[in-house]
Amino acid sequence: MTDQQTTGGPDPTTLLEQAVLAGALPPMDEHPIDVDKALAELARPLPGAAAAVARVDVATQDLAQQVADSAASFLLALREISRDAEGGGRAISLLLLEISQVLLAGARLGAQRDFTPRAAYQPDVGPETDLDPMRMRLAAILEPVDTYSLVFDPYDPEVVESQLSDDLTSIASDLETGLRHFRQGNSEEALWWWQFSYVSSWGNLAGAALNALLSVVSHDRLDHEVPGEDDVLAAADEMLGGGVRTAR
């Protein structure tokens, strides 16, 4: 019997829809949000998953819970940041914080043994949340600095252009997939997915996005009498409101 069968099958609603229906999360156009209540809803197994959770050893379940907390916190923060259409400068600061925190969870996964799921194929855990509206809102907020260059593999360097809004949404999607496994009670599958996707995708994207955001802050705050930097500095000024710099 699979975990999916044990827990009664996947919920037909998406993860964020489940939180809205449970009253822990308001619809996208409503404010404010009760963060503690929303986190408790997103980062806990569904009521029918108790039997599946009981089959997992305590240390593994504790790690899965901690990563679930980090993943849910990132999803909620990204959702709220995208709703603040006037908060360009605040978005940079908050994204620096949130990406740093979720990278800590990823680093813990990277340092762990390889997790092996029970089943050969990933179980069905219901539909993915449509994150495209959030991506479009982030693109609008980050527009002056959205496009940046990244090197995906520093040992085989190839510089490519990417968008912060796309990469942040991709990270959120990977984390959300693991959360759906976790809520079904399949902590081992969730940890396997979070670990695999961290190493193969979202860890690298998060590191690149963090570096890009830090570059925006650096250009805005540090002495910048550098020829040819006018366009970059103008974008940083636009995002961060032309903050006062300290001359040296």
Side-chain angles (χ1 to χ4, degrees):
M1 180 177 291
T2 66
D3 288 345
Q4 179 182 330
Q5 291 169 328
T6 301
T7 59
D11 192 306
T13 58
T14 69
L15 184 69
L16 293 181
E17 287 172 340
Q18 291 170 19
V20 171
L21 291 173
L25 198 62
M28 184 60 73
D29 57 350
E30 294 183 12
H31 286 273
I33 177 176
D34 184 333
V35 175
D36 290 338
K37 186 176 181 182
L39 278 175
E41 175 62 29
L42 287 178
R44 66 183 175 111
L46 295 167
V53 171
R55 295 201 301 270
V56 180
D57 66 88
V58 174
T60 299
Q61 184 62 29
D62 284 348
L63 176 62
Q65 182 64 68
Q66 291 164 20
V67 178
D69 289 340
S70 295
S73 178
F74 183 81
L75 275 172
L76 290 173
L78 205 59
R79 180 182 188 269
E80 292 303 294
I81 291 168
S82 77
R83 300 205 302 183
D84 187 3
E86 305 300 323
R90 289 191 300 275
I92 297 296
S93 300
L94 291 172
L95 288 171
L96 275 170
L97 175 62
E98 295 300 332
I99 295 172
S100 297
Q101 289 179 334
V102 82
L103 274 172
L104 177 59
R108 292 187 65 197
L109 290 167
Q112 298 287 329
R113 61 178 173 82
D114 287 348
F115 291 101
T116 304
R118 293 171 184 265
Y121 299 97
Q122 192 174 91
D124 179 19
V125 283
E128 295 181 2
T129 298
D130 180 11
L131 299 177
D132 200 53
M134 182 179 73
R135 180 190 64 79
M136 295 175 66
R137 287 189 298 274
L138 287 169
I141 292 171
L142 299 171
E143 191 276 330
V145 296
D146 196 28
T147 299
Y148 74 109
S149 298
L150 69 87
V151 176
F152 200 80
D153 184 352
Y155 293 102
D156 185 16
E158 179 184 357
V159 179
V160 297
E161 277 197 349
S162 191
Q163 282 70 46
L164 284 169
S165 53
D166 289 349
D167 294 345
L168 291 168
T169 304
S170 180
I171 295 166
S173 179
D174 282 341
L175 295 172
E176 193 255 4
T177 296
L179 271 176
R180 284 185 285 126
H181 288 296
F182 178 79
R183 282 173 59 77
Q184 291 293 327
N186 198 340
S187 300
E188 292 166 320
E189 182 75 34
L191 285 169
W192 175 84
W193 172 256
W194 280 321
Q195 186 182 63
F196 168 77
S197 58
Y198 167 73
V199 173
S200 65
S201 178
W202 72 262
N204 214 330
L205 291 178
L210 188 69
N211 192 36
L213 294 167
L214 181 58
S215 180
V216 173
V217 175
S218 297
H219 280 298
D220 184 70
R221 292 188 177 179
L222 301 181
D223 293 341
H224 62 295
E225 299 300 326
V226 181
E229 294 284 310
D230 291 350
D231 291 344
V232 177
L233 298 171
D237 279 348
E238 183 177 347
M239 281 303 301
L240 299 175
V244 177
R245 300 173 191 82
T246 302
R248 296 191 62 178

